[in-house]
Amino acid sequence: MKIRQILEISQGKLLTPHVNLDMEILGGYAGDLMSDVLASIQPESVLITGLSNPQVIRTALIADVRLVIFARGKQPPQETITLAIEERFPIITSDLGVYEISGRLMQNGLPSFEKRMLHAFDRD
Amino acid sequence: MVSDKPLITDDEAAKITRVEELAYELTVGEVMTKKVFALRPEQTMREALDEFKKFRISGAPVAIDGNLCGILSIEDLIRSLRDGRIDLTVADYMTSNVITVKQEDQVIEALKLFVKWNLGRLPVLDSSNKLVGILTKGDITNGLLKALQKDFEAEELIRYRASHLFEDIVSDRSTLTLRYNVKKNDFSRGGAASNNIKKALLRLGASPQVARRCGIAVYEAEMNLIIHTNHGGVLRVEIEPDRITMEAYDDGPGIPDISLAMKPGYSTAPPEIRAMGFGAGMGLVNIKSCVDEMNLSSSLDRGTNLYMVMHLDKSKPLA
């Protein structure tokens, strides 16, 4: 699914300039725990979150996430936006909640990219 | 027989995307032809023909003192020739409701206009609506190619230098050490060192998978230094052709029970840290699953040392 479609489906507003709206997003992930995101997100995905600090962007960069949506109408602080612009990383804010954005994207065919955290609970 | 060779390689695909990006980044002012020749409306079509011949152009804007009033193309000239009225004025034959672009517009906007109206050229105006240039599809192609070349050369040079580092320096054992000081409670820069480490590994020729796994491991370690130490600590990465060794160390307070700290979900982070999305008790667990070797040693007197190693595929060493 292209960023263009995700913007429309999530009723979102783009917060960074110079975005390639035709970039392909392969799957979605919703969460607020950055360690969980790092542990279980698959690359080339969209991260839908209720957090808005700069660590969200850094986490996304480390984990090869391609797009972040801030849910529930959250306007991230300026330092988050500045970092996203510097790293040329696209971010979106949407008035919808995490649950509704995720539901809409899945209904439109974007698969879940949340893996079961095997390593976390199957050992010891 | 069907060839296994893909139609477009990943490298080529990356470049196409970059061209698209550039169409958004570059402005019309950066790619347009600046020394703009303009006709005056009272000139005759015969004079226009001479000017077109002289400058070898197929169209020109029409302006009075820098204020655009029309555009004249070779088709208009042909019309006047067909009518046998080549001594009429430019004003009689020009198109006066001209589609224009602003010099600060993105190139992509101009491209859309070219496609929509099938135009040959677009006059470019500044913020006070004065004519400052002319834009053709050729100008855009040249501008994109130049920007792409610049881009490519810069990253290529960095990558080339970096990826030949180990080849160029002869020793029994060469290592490259990166060192980052991480401050206690410096959340606004949290993850910055790790992102730099990930970029460095990619430039040195590590695969995206290796760079991502090392990135995740050092990111968790970096956040631990920010959250759990007395005064912050140091991230140290030692890069060798066949392995990457990552270390995080601090001067306290130390971990009283390491096996408890390694338990998934166990955390000593205060609520305000959890509110930022950290302290879920998964950091050390994540690190363990990302790297090939991990060793955590800690003492209440001297602090904590986290040691992580990633072995590189022998068929794909760095450099």
Side-chain angles (χ1 to χ4, degrees):
Chain A
M1 187 180 285
K2 292 184 191 322
I3 292 184
R4 187 188 305 283
Q5 292 162 279
I6 293 179
L7 254 178
E8 198 179 304
I9 294 165
S10 67
Q11 300 177 3
K13 203 182 98 204
L14 211 50
L15 298 175
T16 45
H18 308 324
V19 172
N20 173 11
L21 295 174
D22 290 319
M23 187 192 278
E24 280 291 339
I25 305 296
L26 306 185
Y29 184 110
D32 289 347
L33 290 174
M34 293 301 119
S35 282
D36 276 5
V37 173
L38 289 172
S40 56
I41 199 167
Q42 290 167 270
E44 299 174 37
S45 48
V46 52
L47 168 64
I48 305 149
T49 182
L51 283 183
S52 60
N53 54 45
Q55 273 69 43
V56 176
I57 308 298
R58 296 226 166 87
T59 302
L61 287 167
I62 286 279
D64 293 332
V65 170
R66 284 192 164 168
L67 174 70
V68 166
I69 304 180
F70 299 108
R72 303 190 283 275
K74 282 214 175 148
Q75 183 67 27
Q78 192 53 45
E79 52 183 336
T80 301
I81 298 177
T82 308
L83 178 63
I85 292 172
E86 266 174 30
E87 297 286 348
R88 302 215 312 224
F89 188 89
I91 53 177
I92 290 176
T93 176
S94 163
D95 284 342
L96 306 178
V98 171
Y99 179 75
E100 186 163 4
I101 297 168
S102 308
R104 285 178 178 220
L105 291 177
M106 272 201 90
Q107 256 179 356
N108 280 276
L110 188 73
S112 165
F113 263 24
E114 288 185 48
K115 284 185 300 185
R116 187 171 132 73
M117 295 174 62
L118 284 174
H119 66 270
F121 304 106
D122 286 2
R123 287 188 195 170
D124 77 37
Chain B
M1 228 186 99
V2 182
S3 161
D4 284 338
K5 198 167 171 274
L7 290 176
I8 286 185
T9 66
D10 287 353
D11 272 8
E12 284 162 352
K15 265 168 221 152
I16 292 167
T17 316
R18 183 63 187 134
V19 169
E20 289 166 353
E21 274 177 32
L22 280 171
Y24 286 90
E25 274 171 32
L26 288 174
T27 63
V28 168
E30 287 171 288
V31 300
M32 69 182 185
T33 301
K34 280 181 191 122
K35 277 186 198 138
V36 53
F37 160 77
L39 291 161
R40 290 185 317 279
E42 73 276 12
Q43 284 182 285
T44 63
M45 291 301 275
R46 188 182 298 278
E47 286 169 324
L49 176 62
D50 291 340
E51 303 279 18
F52 279 18
K53 247 167 67 187
K54 188 166 103 199
F55 293 109
R56 300 175 68 107
I57 51 177
S58 56
V62 184
I64 307 167
D65 298 329
N67 294 308
L68 185 73
C69 51
I71 193 157
L72 193 80
S73 71
I74 200 110
E75 285 83 9
D76 301 321
L77 258 174
I78 294 169
R79 262 191 318 129
S80 76
L81 284 168
R82 187 195 57 199
D83 298 349
R85 305 168 84 173
I86 196 164
D87 287 312
L88 283 184
T89 63
V90 165
D92 294 319
Y93 276 98
M94 71 184 187
T95 304
S96 47
N97 54 336
V98 190
I99 297 163
T100 60
V101 276
K102 287 281 166 70
Q103 63 176 348
E104 62 271 18
D105 283 349
Q106 295 168 339
V107 162
I108 188 78
E109 295 306 322
L111 275 172
K112 283 182 196 157
L113 290 175
F114 275 120
V115 173
K116 185 171 176 196
W117 302 101
N118 194 21
L119 303 165
R121 62 195 55 71
L122 274 166
V124 184
L125 306 180
D126 67 9
S127 51
S128 53
N129 284 329
K130 291 271 187 191
L131 180 68
V132 286
I134 193 101
L135 186 74
T136 64
K137 283 185 236 176
D139 290 328
I140 296 181
T141 311
N142 281 339
L144 286 174
L145 283 174
K146 263 189 214 155
L148 202 62
Q149 184 66 18
K150 232 159 93 188
D151 229 54
F152 183 69
E153 278 168 7
E155 182 58 28
E156 201 50 15
L157 190 65
I158 293 169
R159 266 186 194 255
Y160 179 84
R161 280 189 188 150
S163 68
H164 285 66
L165 199 66
F166 292 109
E167 263 174 44
D168 293 347
I169 297 162
V170 180
S171 81
D172 288 335
R173 185 179 168 202
S174 302
T175 65
L176 174 68
T177 306
L178 316 177
R179 203 189 142 100
Y180 302 85
N181 298 321
V182 180
K183 284 195 205 120
K184 163 83 175 164
N185 282 337
D186 190 4
F187 287 100
S188 68
R189 290 191 43 79
S194 305
N195 269 295
N196 284 328
I197 291 169
K198 185 185 173 192
K199 277 181 204 163
L201 291 175
L202 286 170
R203 283 180 170 165
L204 285 163
S207 71
Q209 292 79 15
V210 165
R212 184 174 191 261
R213 283 171 60 187
C214 289
I216 292 175
V218 287
Y219 186 36
E220 293 284 10
E222 186 179 356
M223 291 314 295
N224 281 348
L225 291 177
I226 292 173
I227 298 167
H228 295 293
T229 53
N230 291 338
H231 314 101
V234 172
L235 271 183
R236 192 169 167 280
V237 182
E238 202 175 274
I239 302 160
E240 293 169 81
D242 61 339
R243 95 185 89 166
I244 300 161
T245 310
M246 294 155 283
E247 249 182 304
Y249 52 90
D250 61 66
D251 62 354
I255 303 169
D257 184 342
I258 286 182
S259 63
L260 193 58
M262 289 298 301
K263 225 175 121 109
Y266 177 80
S267 173
T268 55
E272 62 269 24
I273 302 292
R274 291 171 192 249
M276 295 179 72
F278 291 92
M282 294 306 297
L284 291 170
V285 186
N286 274 353
I287 292 171
K288 199 173 175 185
S289 68
C290 278
V291 296
D292 297 321
E293 272 177 55
M294 170 184 163
N295 183 43
L296 181 63
S297 61
S298 186
S299 116
L300 295 181
D301 312 320
R302 292 192 307 277
T304 302
N305 189 318
L306 175 63
Y307 178 85
M308 304 162 276
V309 182
M310 181 78 114
H311 294 289
L312 298 174
D313 192 339
K314 288 210 168 43
S315 62
K316 285 182 279 180
L318 290 183

